[in-house]
Amino acid sequence: MKLALPKGRLLKETAALLKKAGLGIEGYNEKSRNYRLKSSSFPHLFIKVFHERDIPIQVAIGNYDLGICGLDWVEELSVKYPSSNLVKVMDLGYGKIDIYAFTSVNSGVSLVGEINNGFDRVRIVSEYQNLAESFALRQRLRLFSILPINGAGEVYPPESADLAIIADAQANGFAGSDLVPLAKIITSRAFLIANRNGLAKAKRSKLLTHLQAFKREAEEEKVVVAGGVTEGENVFKGIGVSNKIDKEGNEKLRLALPDGHLWKAASEFLDKVGLNIEGYSGKLVTRRPTIDLPGVVIKVIRPQDMPLQVANGNFDLAITGEDWLKDHLCHFPSSPVKEILKLGFGKVTVVAVVSEDLATRDVRDLRELVSKGLLPNLRVASEYVNLADKYARYNHLEHYKIVPTWGASEAFLPEDADLLIENTETGETLAKHNLKVIDTVLESSACLIGHQDNIAHPSNKHKVKRIIDVMKKGC
């Protein structure tokens, strides 16, 4: 019996549930970096910890018999693959979040039925690409496009998107979001899910009985609500949004700054070079910091989203990692995005990694294992799906498939992948998980990127040069 458990927002309450159920799982807590767990009550139970978004996929393809994750990610998979082997076993009752379609308070649209008349082409930004498309089709939107992101969806409307399909906690969690909800897409709570073929085995196990004994009563929710928000729903308003045009009638220069693991180093770098950015240093308190450079507006988004957002023209400049830029260029070699300046902080190495138990010293040994049929269908896991694909092709690793991941990628080897393309700073985490580096893919650090046409525009040239000149002081 194989069980997949979530890290992140559901971890604490899931750990409490499993403790009450008497599973005897040690080391499943917010501080632990151990992705393989054991149960003293169920010695034959294999347990692995994943990013929540990966769990429905792993259960659906049969790598795991049971899993616990949010209903939002279950429905995100099921709405695109309704015939998959994924089964919802029971609502566990905790981890409640509501996913809404939001728009800007300044859009002039206040009801879901007004969307078609309010926008010529509806730009929808979301991590939930399949739910977003389903919503658009159910609302019979005439023209729409789905803009995939990895998070921070609340900051995109109105300049870079018309609708954002995100969790209510995200919209309410940052000053300046200035969003109003139009329609509830789904109410999500933690669910126990199963693989259809593995469910018979699960039903024969005492494990399922233990979990069912601690099931919490929860109201059944519809997945998609076609109407607008009911009266009394919370309306999330921030401190206002930035216009694209300044007081002189010129377009503002749009700069994207990173959150996540690059945020601290980026804020320290910008402080050092003397860029006075309020709301970005210290604690990240806003997704829309302000800068004392006239004609420049800032948003804080995911580093991995930046190359595509710059290519689409939503930003003129951005600070991201060279790894994410190169991953983008692998997919779009004719992209208008270019590297302007190496900034030097946030150094990581992207490496090819295998299990210590695999008899290979380098990529040549791995290629030989594949050619001899010892790894007949090489599974390559990575957040860098385009870099991973290029690496496998360049090294002639025949009969491979890419397994996209959303974090906690070390957990995939060796049971759920054979090769991992991953970034590392010291290599300590890889060694801790019994993994070894067999090749270096690339060296990466933070860089300033830009849209080559936008930054060359006469109205932007002076502002771009000023920002570059200031940043050069810290390089």
Side-chain angles (χ1 to χ4, degrees), residues 258 260-271 280 345-347 446:
H261 74 281
L262 274 181
W263 162 65
K264 184 177 180 180
S267 67
E268 291 173 352
F269 173 86
L270 295 172
D271 284 344
Y280 191 65
F345 61 84
K347 292 182 179 180

Side-chain angles (χ1 to χ4, degrees), residues 311-370:
N312 286 337
N314 289 331
F315 298 95
D316 305 302
L317 295 173
I319 293 177
T320 187
E322 290 176 294
D323 48 353
W324 293 115
L325 173 61
K326 291 177 180 179
D327 186 72
H328 168 77
L329 293 176
C330 283
H331 196 192
F332 304 104
S334 300
S335 171
V337 180
K338 69 174 185 178
E339 182 178 299
I340 299 172
L341 188 64
K342 294 182 185 295
L343 302 178
F345 61 84
K347 292 182 179 180
V348 296
T349 304
V350 179
V351 291
V353 179
V354 297
S355 170
E356 280 281 7
D357 299 328
L358 191 66
T360 178
R361 295 163 299 175
D362 52 35
V363 70
R364 291 186 295 274
D365 289 347
L366 182 63
R367 183 164 56 242
E368 188 174 348
L369 291 177
V370 174

Side-chain angles (χ1 to χ4, degrees), residues 61 64 77 90 133 160 171 176 184 220 225 265 275 311 347 396 398 416:
I61 63 179
Y64 291 81
L77 179 68
M90 63 180 176
E133 183 178 12
S160 308
K184 185 189 292 183
E220 188 172 335
V225 178
L275 280 175
K347 292 182 179 180
H396 307 290
E398 301 173 354
D416 308 303

Side-chain angles (χ1 to χ4, degrees), residues 18 44 120 151 171 234 243 285 309 313 397 403 448:
L18 298 178
H44 300 298
D120 293 331
N234 188 21
N243 223 311
V285 294
Q309 293 300 321
L397 301 175
V403 181
L448 180 69

